[in-house]
Amino acid sequence: MVRTALHHDKLLLSQFIETCSSLGFSAYAHSVFSVNSQSHPHIYVFNTMIKGMTLCNSAFEALLVFDEMPLASVCSDDVVVWMAMIAGYVKVGDPDTAMDLLSRMPRTQTDGAVLITWTSVIAGYAQMDRPDEAIAVFRKMQLENVVPDEIAMLAVLSACAQLGAFHIRLGECIHGYVKKRGFDQMVTLKNALIEMYSNSGNISNALHVFMNMTRRTVISWTTIISALAFHGLGTQALDMFSRMEMAQVKPNVITFIAVLSACAHVGLVDLGRYYFHAMKYRYGIQHEIQHYGCMIDLLGRAGYLAEALKLVSEMPFQPNAAIWGSLLAASNIHGDAELGELALLHLVQLEPWNSGNYALLSNIYASAGRWDKSVMARKMMRDKGVRKMPGWSFIQVSTRTHEFIAGDTSHPQFDRIHGTLFTMNEQMKTAHYDPINEFDKHDSDIGPASI
């Protein structure tokens, strides 16, 4: 058509670019656009090109097109372009650029368009495991008087869930807002609230939200079972799974991770074996590496080390660091130095930077009276240049979270805290209790942070 010099308008050009992009021919689409953008400088063509570039994960090229667009920074008709650019950068995992574009976007768009862009950026930070920034964007959105909807609530609740107790007050405020706006019967929001309360340590509130749901999906059941198992309430988690079965809700892959984890917490080996086999033969769910990991952890905790090692050799997956770490921990509990050494040999390959593995093996040898091997494990750690990471802990008092790092004296109340700990230590000595030796008689490098 071009060779015959037939006329083509902006609509035809846009359709052609869109087709090229959908087929993955982004370079060809861009060359066609470059040749024709001067003769057809219509926003519709630019918008199609930008959406095409983001579809092909070519966010940088999309930004170049965006910057070339006539009056891009002041035109009030290009809301779709701004939204496409912001969504494109969120999609490729660059929420910072998306936020920069959001700050530059003209504030002449409709409320719905503005809300969508804010929500997109909040979700982008949450998906990138940057919950602090997600919450900061949410607060900026409030300052600009943008009223959040249920999707925005879901995005910020996801961020709160990642932070756990650090932002429990914000999560509670959002819960109140959800009720006030009449969103409290939305299943997705209820599920997010359960996860948020669970991660913040408030399992009673998580249960309250679940029990007041009028409709529950498999995600609802799985979330509460996982919450109970995570808090060490294995028996209650398994009881909840039984109620799920009675409600005739079919479990999924993640449900059985929670169920097997619950079995491990309460040491129900036989029940764990049953569920491990039932998920395949009763429910038709194939085992994934996470299920093997849970089962190996269960067997290791209970002392079935040979069976756990046999399961490792039989599974159709390459064992990962979590599985070998479970075996190393189990060998420490049950004093099996040979298994610990085997686990460490694999862990050194998978995560050579982890100082805790070397320290744990050293303790296993020391417990068995093999002091030469214990020294050798620590020497191996030094020879490989592995540095011990300082321990840390935190505690929340009222609305403030206090963090402590081993050896750090910067806390404003350090002297009072240190004095209190000294007094407690003296009282425990009077009671003939030595907390350090009781925790680890072999100079452990792992454990709670101390001041």
Side-chain angles (χ1 to χ4, degrees):
M1 181 179 175
V2 172
R3 282 197 299 268
T4 56
L6 289 174
H7 174 71
H8 55 280
D9 60 8
K10 63 180 183 295
L11 180 61
L12 181 59
L13 181 60
S14 298
Q15 289 176 337
F16 185 77
I17 291 172
E18 185 176 358
T19 302
C20 288
S21 301
S22 65
L23 293 172
F25 302 147
S26 59
Y28 189 43
H30 193 271
S31 65
V32 172
F33 169 79
S34 299
V35 171
N36 292 273
S37 60
Q38 296 301 318
S39 58
H40 293 85
H42 196 277
I43 190 170
Y44 187 69
V45 179
F46 278 87
N47 182 38
T48 304
M49 190 62 209
I50 289 170
K51 288 196 294 184
M53 291 295 97
T54 56
L55 183 67
C56 297
N57 289 338
S58 302
F60 179 73
E61 288 82 357
L63 183 59
L64 292 178
V65 175
F66 179 77
D67 289 337
E68 293 172 9
M69 188 172 64
L71 303 177
S73 61
V74 296
C75 181
S76 61
D77 299 326
D78 56 1
V79 58
V80 179
V81 177
W82 287 93
M83 292 174 64
M85 282 302 304
I86 292 171
Y89 273 103
V90 168
K91 180 182 176 183
V92 299
D94 188 359
D96 291 328
T97 304
M99 185 61 205
D100 177 62
L101 289 174
L102 177 58
S103 65
R104 291 163 49 193
M105 186 176 75
R107 294 299 189 259
T108 55
Q109 285 79 26
T110 63
D111 291 341
V114 172
L115 176 59
I116 290 171
T117 51
W118 280 101
T119 302
S120 178
V121 175
I122 294 169
Y125 278 117
Q127 290 163 9
M128 293 297 293
D129 294 327
R130 297 169 64 181
D132 284 310
E133 289 96 328
I135 291 172
V137 174
F138 177 72
R139 295 190 188 279
K140 288 179 182 177
M141 183 181 82
Q142 290 180 303
L143 290 174
E144 295 208 9
N145 297 317
V146 179
V147 180
D149 62 1
E150 61 271 25
I151 308 301
M153 293 288 95
L154 191 60
V156 75
L157 273 175
S158 175
C160 290
Q162 293 177 41
L163 288 167
F166 286 98
H167 278 281
I168 181 60
R169 292 298 176 89
L170 177 60
E172 290 172 344
C173 290
I174 292 173
H175 189 183
Y177 183 86
V178 165
K179 287 182 178 179
K180 183 179 179 181
R181 289 293 304 274
F183 299 149
D184 55 326
Q185 291 308 316
M186 290 190 61
V187 175
T188 52
L189 277 174
K190 288 277 192 174
N191 295 341
L193 284 168
I194 294 170
E195 183 180 14
M196 184 273 296
Y197 279 124
S198 171
N199 289 0
S200 66
N202 196 332
I203 189 64
S204 60
N205 272 11
L207 278 167
H208 179 76
V209 172
F210 177 81
M211 298 305 294
N212 282 280
M213 293 179 73
T214 56
R215 187 171 68 89
R216 304 182 182 110
T217 65
V218 61
I219 297 175
S220 310
W221 287 98
T222 299
T223 304
I224 193 64
I225 292 169
S226 299
L228 291 165
F230 179 77
H231 285 272
L233 303 172
T235 304
Q236 293 90 323
L238 295 172
D239 178 63
M240 191 66 74
F241 179 66
S242 298
R243 293 173 61 181
M244 177 181 176
E245 290 183 305
M246 287 188 288
Q248 298 183 334
V249 178
K250 185 179 179 180
N252 60 20
V253 169
I254 302 173
T255 308
F256 277 104
I257 294 175
V259 169
L260 292 173
S261 177
C263 290
H265 277 293
V266 291
L268 297 174
V269 178
D270 290 336
L271 191 59
R273 290 193 188 105
Y274 166 75
Y275 282 132
F276 185 74
H277 290 94
M279 63 178 288
K280 182 176 181 180
Y281 296 106
R282 181 177 174 184
Y283 296 99
I285 299 174
Q286 294 297 319
H287 296 126
E288 296 188 359
I289 192 169
Q290 293 92 337
H291 302 110
Y292 280 99
C294 290
M295 196 64 206
I296 290 164
D297 182 48
L298 168 60
L299 294 169
R301 287 172 184 247
Y304 295 88
L305 302 183
E307 185 179 348
L309 191 57
K310 183 173 180 289
L311 189 58
V312 171
S313 64
E314 292 175 347
M315 68 180 191
F317 304 101
Q318 195 70 21
N320 56 23
I323 288 175
W324 287 116
S326 292
L327 288 175
L328 181 61
S331 64
N332 183 43
I333 295 170
H334 300 286
D336 190 329
E338 291 184 5
L339 178 60
E341 189 171 21
L342 175 65
L344 181 67
L345 289 174
H346 288 88
L347 284 169
V348 167
Q349 299 296 323
L350 294 170
E351 44 178 34
W353 42 265
N354 191 337
S355 62
N357 295 328
Y358 297 93
L360 196 55
L361 181 63
S362 175
N363 292 337
I364 295 170
Y365 282 131
S367 297
R370 300 168 64 178
W371 299 103
D372 55 334
K373 290 277 190 177
S374 176
V375 172
M376 184 186 70
R378 293 181 182 271
K379 183 178 183 300
M380 188 190 308
M381 172 180 160
R382 289 193 298 270
D383 291 344
K384 288 183 176 292
V386 178
R387 297 184 61 186
K388 176 182 174 294
M389 297 299 292
W392 68 278
S393 60
F394 71 89
I395 185 171
Q396 185 174 9
V397 181
S398 298
T399 59
R400 184 181 174 189
T401 301
H402 303 261
E403 183 177 294
F404 302 95
I405 301 174
D408 182 22
T409 62
S410 62
H411 193 278
Q413 298 190 54
F414 171 80
D415 291 334
R416 289 185 60 192
I417 296 170
H418 192 271
T420 301
L421 288 173
F422 179 81
T423 302
M424 290 172 60
N425 191 45
E426 291 300 312
Q427 291 173 348
M428 286 189 287
K429 284 182 178 179
T430 304
H432 305 290
Y433 176 76
D434 188 339
I436 297 177
N437 286 333
E438 286 296 325
F439 172 71
D440 190 348
K441 297 179 181 178
H442 307 295
D443 188 26
S444 173
D445 277 336
I446 60 173
S450 56
I451 297 179

